[in-house]
Amino acid sequence: MAAARSSKSVAARSNLKPAAFLFDLDGTLIDTEEAWAGAIVDFLAECGVEITVEEILPSIIGRNWLDINRSLHQRFPQIGDTSLEEDSRRLRKFFDMRVLNPMEMIITESVEFLKRVSSIAPVAIVSGSPRNDIEKAARMMGIDGFIKFVLGAGDYPKGKPDPSSYLTAAERFGVKASDCIVLEDSEVGVASGVAAGMRVVAINRKADRAYDFSGAWKVVGSLSEIDIEGEFV
């Protein structure tokens, strides 16, 4: 059953100050998921495959690029025997053609939330995107000075919903998983944080869509709904 959109806690509020804040990227800090889905549609069209954004989107939201690429080759043998690096270059070309002004994709309230909580506990970005793309996005959003490190595709054993990405981040910070706050927008991302034993804030920016955010500590429509001082200080 899908979790209802609410800014209220789904569990008793903890007085424990967070040891770290772990942010997803795509869909949480920057609204790029539909653009990436469109780029994949264009990439597949070049390979002779006709498919829509609506058909591709559910299979990529929150997923690791390595897993996405592997799945695309399995589903669409028309792609051919191309390497991950080659596919990444071709996909980036189509993405750049669709996104003329990346600044317009920044989720401002999420970026402001990240900046504010960075004074409470260290921050990292834990994403399924390639690390170079994460670092580039962080510079564009002006948050590279507020984060300690980023983890991307290939930096942990398995992609979300497996918990290894978030557990790797906690280990790198040297903190307990249960003391971390995860900020996520996808079902697989929320499941990953929950499986890691972390407190997860699920962001449902699409009020007309029902998501299964089972186990989330909070479900909000925007990070601006959270009382930072009341919850974390």
Side-chain angles (χ1 to χ4, degrees):
M1 181 177 179
R5 173 175 164 175
S6 169
S7 61
K8 295 182 179 179
S9 173
V10 297
R13 182 187 147 199
S14 169
N15 292 322
L16 181 66
K17 182 178 177 180
F21 290 92
L22 309 178
F23 285 76
D24 173 52
L25 177 66
D26 298 293
T28 297
L29 292 168
I30 186 166
D31 193 11
T32 53
E33 290 173 324
E34 290 194 12
W36 280 119
I40 290 174
V41 167
D42 297 339
F43 167 76
L44 291 173
E46 189 176 66
C47 300
V49 177
E50 292 187 10
I51 196 167
T52 66
V53 168
E54 291 71 23
E55 291 172 311
I56 282 291
L57 198 56
S59 64
I60 72 167
I61 291 179
R63 302 285 179 178
N64 186 295
W65 166 234
L66 302 180
D67 295 334
I68 293 171
N69 184 256
R70 189 179 303 113
S71 175
L72 289 174
H73 276 267
Q74 291 172 347
R75 290 175 62 187
F76 308 109
Q78 300 95 320
I79 294 174
D81 187 22
T82 53
S83 68
L84 177 73
E85 292 73 19
E86 181 180 352
D87 292 343
S88 297
R89 286 194 298 271
R90 292 168 64 190
L91 193 63
R92 168 59 68 179
K93 175 187 70 174
F94 290 118
F95 179 83
D96 289 343
M97 290 172 62
R98 282 180 171 262
V99 180
L100 300 179
N101 184 3
M103 296 290 290
E104 293 180 351
M105 309 184 82
I106 296 173
I107 304 172
T108 305
E109 60 270 25
S110 293
V111 170
E112 290 306 312
F113 182 91
L114 183 151
K115 291 178 178 179
R116 290 179 63 192
V117 298
S118 68
S119 65
I120 299 171
V123 172
I125 296 178
V126 182
S127 171
S129 295
R131 194 187 319 135
N132 287 344
D133 284 351
I134 304 170
E135 292 171 344
K136 180 180 178 181
R139 290 192 296 271
M140 181 190 70
M141 290 184 283
I143 58 174
D144 47 322
F146 293 85
I147 57 179
K148 298 301 183 182
F149 61 85
V150 305
L151 294 180
D155 289 333
Y156 43 84
K158 294 183 180 180
K160 303 169 186 178
D162 187 90
S164 64
S165 60
Y166 284 117
L167 291 174
T168 298
E171 182 179 4
R172 183 161 172 179
F173 272 131
V175 300
K176 294 191 297 184
S178 58
D179 292 344
C180 296
I181 301 291
V182 167
L183 298 305
E184 271 282 359
D185 74 298
S186 70
E187 291 185 357
V188 295
V190 169
S192 175
V194 171
M198 300 178 178
R199 286 179 288 171
V200 181
V201 177
I203 309 162
N204 183 1
R205 297 176 55 248
K206 311 290 185 180
D208 58 334
R209 297 181 186 177
Y211 294 103
D212 182 0
F213 288 148
S214 300
W217 176 55
K218 287 180 177 294
V219 182
V220 298
S222 165
L223 291 182
S224 64
E225 298 174 20
I226 297 178
D227 177 7
I228 292 176
E229 285 73 22
E231 293 289 359
F232 304 129
V233 177

